[in-house]
């Protein structure tokens, strides 16, 4: 390109390289760079990020070394073993099963479902919001009516009914069932931003030059609202941890033989457990609180990074 | 104005019809028939067959649906198989419990949230504002059922300040004791729900106050010499009251959906607990009725909020 340029203009190659460098230095830094500088400026956010990533890696890898069926076997010798002993770091539950091991496998299951749910429901919600906001006529009207209808459904009840109907479900089917009901928030947010974005000049210019609708939606509008999408995905991830654990707590999520943070908290439903054997449920509750707070905090930092007027980090 | 409300009502009708069909089909698809569990295991299969037949369980689904709708309009939701009692009567008592709890939680939420929102907006960027923002952020992030479990553990079991099950104690004799006992039982779930449900109202009110601080009417009031306290109390706060009231509709739907968790944790005999119990017994006349009621209540809540908002903000009406 440089040679080509030289033939038609009188700027030398060295000048061109210098000008390019200058322009790049002045240009808006990349999103990744902004986010990174934001984390560097905010030490608690850095700590939260390290906690999340470290913890997720720990449970994902740790769970590989645990034989789940063996762990879930009843072991009468360990009946309500006290915590902080050599064999049972966090004690044992009424069937003598190690709480610490259950916690690791349970976290793996719960976090895995939350990640899957976030990916599926966000993808669907983003597409829904983009299409609904961009076409903005009868299509939008129809899609909005479906949205209204979904909003009317009592979500928790519908999920419980569906879980009861499906005879053999596992974590994958469960993720899909949850996804049916948890795309609305994302789609609403994305739609309102797309409505504003579709009014802008670059969209009009693209339309005038004959770019196809799909290319405008997914290659032009979507990258422009990517920061919003990142923030929303992070925040819904935090919420989604609560979705699966909540349903499992009620007994309609993962089956009781599959440990989940929710089924572990459900130990608290027994008045004996909740008062005397706090270690059977409290670690799981504490873990959910720490995870949700850390993830949402990271989400807040990402939100700041997306909004130039709120940034705290300095670039360069 | 009236056109907006009317249009909203018209849109509601197909939504309710589709909901009722959906709910009915889902209940039909649930495994097991309602008799197998409730009668003597030695009973003659032919007798069960006969029971199924007279209850219309072999008809095609649209026929059953139509019968159900006709009965619905006569106020007859069928009998609960688990309790052997008409569903309307069964739900009636539970609904009152749930609605009392929801109403109480909502009032408490407003009592906590309104002063916090105004205060945070008034002292924007200062320490109280930071504290309130951290508080709303923390309460928003933590899943509600975890809070309920920890709340009942600390205040119900360890400290023993509040009852941990039921809606009324058995020793209440006269109406004063009954009322007091009922109130005592909804106090802890109500407080927890309110303390952890303020985020929407506080955030809205805060940004509203910050916006109005620099508006013309506030400047006019200041130049007339109205004391700062009165400006916040009478000018800014009163202006944001209606949109805040509109949150009531949405928060009712949120509270109803949360009631399943609240009532399970506190063993509080409301509609949420009834639903969870009915699911385990495959008591699908109760399940259909409850899902339908919750759906319609959601719809009414949203409708209420939309109507209030369209009164406040004429731009919404035009769409």
């Amino acid at each position: 390109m440089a040679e080509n340029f030289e033939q038609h203009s009188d700027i030398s190659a060295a000048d061109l390289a210098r000008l390019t460098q200058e322009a790049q230095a002045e240009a808006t830094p990349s999103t990744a760079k902004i986010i990174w500088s934001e984390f560097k400026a905010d030490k608690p956010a850095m700590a939260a990020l390290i906690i999340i990533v470290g913890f997720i890696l720990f449970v994902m890898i740790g769970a590989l070394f645990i034989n789940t069926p063996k762990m879930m076997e009843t072991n009468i010798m360990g009946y309500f073993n006290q915590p902080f002993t050599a064999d049972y770091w966090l004690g044992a539950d009424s069937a003598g099963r190690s709480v610490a091991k259950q916690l690791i496998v349970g976290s793996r299951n719960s976090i895995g479902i939350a990640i899957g749910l976030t990916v599926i429901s966000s993808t669907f919600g983003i597409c829904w919001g983009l299409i609904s906001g961009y076409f903005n006529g009868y299509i939008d009207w129809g899609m909005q009516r479906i949205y209204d209808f979904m909003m009317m459904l009592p979500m928790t009840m519908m999920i419980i009914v569906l879980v009861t109907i499906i005879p053999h479900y596992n974590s994958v089917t469960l993720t899909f069932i949850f996804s049916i009901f948890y795309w609305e928030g994302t789609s609403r947010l994305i739609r309102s931003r797309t409505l504003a974005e579709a009014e802008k000049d670059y969209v009009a210019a693209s339309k005038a030059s004959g770019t196809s609708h799909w290319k405008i939606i997914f290659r032009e509008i979507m990258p422009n609202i990517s920061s919003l999408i990142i923030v929303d995905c992070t925040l819904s991830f935090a919420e989604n941890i609560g979705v699966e654990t909540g349903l499992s707590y009620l007994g309609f999520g993962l089956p009781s033989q599959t440990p989940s943070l929710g089924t572990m908290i459900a130990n608290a439903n027994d008045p004996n457990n909740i008062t005397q054997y706090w270690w059977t449920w409290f670690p799981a509750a504490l873990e959910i609180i720490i995870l949700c707070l850390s993830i949402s905090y990271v989400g807040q930092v990402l939100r700041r990074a997306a909004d130039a007027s709120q940034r705290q980090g300095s670039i360069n | 104005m009236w056109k907006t409300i009317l249009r909203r009502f018209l849109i509601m009708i197909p939504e309710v019809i589709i909901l009722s069909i959906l709910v009915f089909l889902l209940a039909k698809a649930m495994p097991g028939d309602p008799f197998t569990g409730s009668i003597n295991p030695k009973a003659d299969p032919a007798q069960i067959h006969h029971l199924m037949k007279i209850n219309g369980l072999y008809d095609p689904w649209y026929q059953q649906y139509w019968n159900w709708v006709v009965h619905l309009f006569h106020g007859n939701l069928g009998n609960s198989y688990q309790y052997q009692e008409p569903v309307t009567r069964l739900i009636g008592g539970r609904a009152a419990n749930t609605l009392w709890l929801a109403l109480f939680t909502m009032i408490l939420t407003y009592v906590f949230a309104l002063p916090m929102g105004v205060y945070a907006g008034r002292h924007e960027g200062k320490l109280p504002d930071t504290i309130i923002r951290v508080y709303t952020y923390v309460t928003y992030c933590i899943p509600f059922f975890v809070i309920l479990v920890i709340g009942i553990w600390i205040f119900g079991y360890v400290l023993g300040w509040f009852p941990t099950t039921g809606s009324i104690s058995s020793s209440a004799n006269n109406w004063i004791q009954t009322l007091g006992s009922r109130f005592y039982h909804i106090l802890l779930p109500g407080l927890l729900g309110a303390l952890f449900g303020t985020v929407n109202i506080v955030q809205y009110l805060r940004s509203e106050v910050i916006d109005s601080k620099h508006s013309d009417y506030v400047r006019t009031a200041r130049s007339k010499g109205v004391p700062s306290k009165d400006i916040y109390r009478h000018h800014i706060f009163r202006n944001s009251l209606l949109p805040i009231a509109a949150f009531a509709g949405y928060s009712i739907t949120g509270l109803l959906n949360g009631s399943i968790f609240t009532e399970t944790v506190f063993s509080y005999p409301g509609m949420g607990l009834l639903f969870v119990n009915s699911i385990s017994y495959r008591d699908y006349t109760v399940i259909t009725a409850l899902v339908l009621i919750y759906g319609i209540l959601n719809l009414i809540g949203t409708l209420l909020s939309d109507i209030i908002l369209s009164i406040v903000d004429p731009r919404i009406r035009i769409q």
Side-chain angles (χ1 to χ4, degrees):
Chain A
M1 190 206 153
E3 297 105 43
N4 202 5
F5 192 81
E6 218 164 319
Q7 284 168 10
H8 299 287
S9 93
D10 41 352
I11 300 178
S12 70
D15 271 347
L16 182 66
R18 185 178 51 82
L19 285 172
T20 319
Q21 210 171 12
E22 274 178 21
Q24 271 169 359
E26 279 173 23
T28 322
S30 71
T31 316
K33 221 174 190 175
I34 295 173
I35 291 173
W36 181 241
S37 74
E38 200 57 42
F39 273 109
K40 273 199 297 194
D42 192 340
K43 290 284 174 279
M46 198 65 142
L49 189 69
I50 292 170
I51 289 177
I52 298 165
V53 174
F55 186 76
I56 292 180
L57 283 179
F58 171 69
V59 295
M60 293 287 168
I61 296 169
L64 294 177
F65 293 101
I66 294 173
N67 182 347
T68 311
K70 189 161 178 288
M71 176 190 80
M72 296 308 285
E73 274 171 14
T74 305
N75 171 18
I76 200 65
M77 298 304 288
Y79 176 78
F80 283 128
N81 213 309
Q82 291 288 324
F84 314 121
T85 53
D87 282 349
Y88 299 97
W89 296 340
L90 286 173
D93 64 6
S94 60
R97 300 175 296 208
S98 162
V99 171
K101 281 182 186 170
Q102 282 190 62
L103 203 59
I104 291 176
V105 179
S107 313
R108 197 263 319 263
N109 293 340
S110 292
I111 292 175
I113 289 182
I115 291 176
L117 173 57
T118 311
V119 170
I120 299 171
S121 65
S122 294
T123 312
F124 189 72
I126 290 165
C127 293
W128 186 278
L130 281 168
I131 294 170
S132 176
Y134 177 79
F135 288 111
N136 193 16
Y138 286 110
I139 297 177
D140 183 37
W141 189 87
M143 289 173 94
Q144 280 303 104
R145 293 291 76 76
I146 297 175
Y147 168 86
D148 282 348
F149 180 73
M150 294 298 289
M151 285 302 284
M152 177 189 65
L153 295 179
M155 277 195 274
T156 319
M157 284 185 162
M158 293 304 281
I159 291 173
I160 293 175
V161 170
L162 280 179
V163 167
T164 341
I165 290 173
I166 292 173
H168 299 289
Y169 62 88
N170 51 25
S171 42
V172 179
T173 23
L174 204 60
T175 314
F176 276 104
I177 294 176
F178 291 153
S179 306
I180 301 175
F181 297 96
Y182 281 93
W183 52 271
E184 287 104 339
T186 311
S187 87
R188 184 195 174 99
L189 188 74
I190 300 292
R191 175 179 172 267
S192 64
R193 262 300 280 276
T194 313
L195 277 175
E197 204 74 10
E199 300 284 306
K200 289 191 177 164
D201 288 343
Y202 74 91
V203 176
S206 265
K207 274 185 192 165
S209 59
T211 319
S212 78
H213 288 314
W214 302 112
K215 198 172 173 190
I216 296 178
I217 292 174
F218 290 107
R219 300 290 298 277
E220 294 175 2
I221 294 180
M222 199 168 86
N224 268 310
I225 58 172
S226 59
S227 53
L228 182 77
I229 292 175
I230 295 172
V231 173
D232 185 62
C233 285
T234 318
L235 293 178
S236 18
F237 178 44
E239 266 175 55
N240 290 341
I241 289 182
V243 172
E244 184 272 332
T245 47
L247 265 298
S248 296
Y249 168 76
L250 288 181
F252 301 108
L254 287 172
S256 58
Q257 278 304 306
T258 318
S260 135
L261 293 178
T263 48
M264 293 187 71
I265 297 180
N267 282 333
N269 283 342
D270 186 337
N272 276 331
N273 282 351
I274 198 170
T275 44
Q276 295 170 35
Y277 310 115
W278 57 269
W279 60 86
T280 54
W281 63 275
F282 189 68
L286 194 66
E287 189 195 317
I288 290 184
I289 293 178
I290 293 174
L291 262 185
C292 287
L293 284 178
S294 316
I295 296 171
S296 319
Y297 193 70
V298 168
Q300 297 294 331
V301 175
L302 292 177
R303 174 179 286 167
R304 276 210 312 262
D307 181 355
S309 63
Q310 292 182 10
R311 276 177 211 152
Q312 294 177 350
S314 61
I315 301 175
N316 299 324
Chain B
M1 181 65 238
W2 289 108
K3 257 167 94 179
T4 319
I5 296 176
L6 187 71
R7 203 173 49 216
R8 287 281 326 197
F9 261 114
L10 289 182
I11 289 174
M12 253 176 80
I13 295 169
E15 281 184 351
V16 172
I17 294 174
I18 297 172
L19 173 75
S20 67
I21 295 178
L22 188 71
V23 163
F24 183 79
L25 290 182
L26 282 177
K28 281 282 146 198
M30 295 188 92
D33 66 74
F35 300 115
T36 317
S38 63
I39 50 177
N40 190 343
K42 287 174 189 156
D44 184 10
Q47 207 178 351
I48 299 177
H49 184 77
H50 178 68
L51 267 176
M52 301 266 285
K53 198 161 190 177
I54 56 170
N55 280 284
L57 290 166
Y58 288 133
D59 293 345
W61 71 268
Y62 49 85
Q63 182 78 46
Q64 292 190 33
Y65 172 71
W66 181 248
N67 289 340
W68 180 65
V69 171
V70 170
H71 283 302
L72 204 65
F73 277 103
H74 288 103
N76 175 13
L77 286 161
N79 269 318
S80 155
Y81 298 113
Q82 181 194 353
Y83 296 94
Q84 294 301 328
E85 198 181 341
V87 173
T88 27
R89 204 195 311 154
L90 183 66
I91 290 179
R94 310 296 188 101
N97 282 343
T98 300
L99 292 179
W100 278 125
L101 180 56
L103 194 69
F104 179 64
T105 314
M106 202 167 73
I107 293 172
L108 276 186
T109 312
Y110 276 91
V111 168
F112 292 140
L114 295 183
M116 270 200 285
V118 176
Y119 198 78
R122 188 172 170 181
H123 302 279
E124 181 199 355
K126 296 193 187 119
L127 186 66
D129 179 35
T130 316
I131 293 172
I132 290 173
R133 275 171 66 195
V134 170
Y135 159 75
T136 51
Y137 158 75
V138 169
T139 53
Y140 170 71
C141 295
I142 303 174
F144 187 47
F145 82 99
V146 179
I147 293 307
L148 291 172
V149 172
I150 291 181
I152 199 174
W153 175 49
I154 295 177
F155 299 107
Y157 287 104
V158 177
L159 297 174
W161 291 350
F162 296 98
T164 52
T165 59
S167 68
I168 188 165
S169 78
S170 51
S171 60
N173 294 321
N174 51 28
W175 66 272
I176 298 178
Q177 279 180 351
T178 312
L179 207 67
S181 172
R182 279 191 182 280
F183 181 72
Y184 189 37
H185 278 80
I186 60 174
L187 199 54
L188 182 58
L191 274 172
L192 288 175
L195 282 173
F196 285 81
T198 52
V199 59
N200 284 331
I201 301 174
V202 171
Q203 273 183 357
Y204 182 85
L205 202 54
R206 176 177 175 273
S207 59
E208 195 70 8
V209 170
I210 291 172
D211 282 350
S212 338
K213 261 203 278 197
H214 309 290
S215 63
D216 289 343
Y217 75 92
V218 171
R219 199 166 46 211
T220 312
R222 278 198 196 285
S223 61
K224 285 198 302 185
V226 182
S228 190
K229 194 177 71 184
D230 288 348
I231 289 180
Y232 282 103
R233 204 174 285 168
H234 296 304
H235 292 73
I236 296 178
F237 181 59
R238 197 162 288 179
N239 259 326
S240 7
L241 257 186
L242 261 179
I244 286 290
F247 277 81
Y250 299 129
S251 75
I252 278 282
T253 64
L255 285 171
L256 282 177
N257 281 318
S259 73
I260 298 180
F261 291 102
T262 318
E263 290 170 8
T264 311
V265 173
F266 285 89
S267 312
Y268 180 80
M271 290 194 285
L273 189 63
L274 180 67
F275 178 78
V276 173
N277 288 338
S278 306
I279 283 276
S280 353
Y281 285 94
R282 308 277 180 252
D283 196 351
Y284 64 70
T285 43
V286 181
I287 296 169
T288 27
L290 282 175
V291 179
L292 200 63
I293 289 173
Y294 270 58
I296 290 172
L297 285 177
N298 273 354
L299 205 61
I300 293 174
T302 324
L303 182 75
L304 211 68
S305 289
D306 287 353
I307 289 175
I308 299 176
L309 279 179
S310 75
I311 295 171
V312 183
D313 189 348
R315 282 171 301 179
I316 296 174
R317 272 179 250 165
I318 302 167
Q319 277 184 3

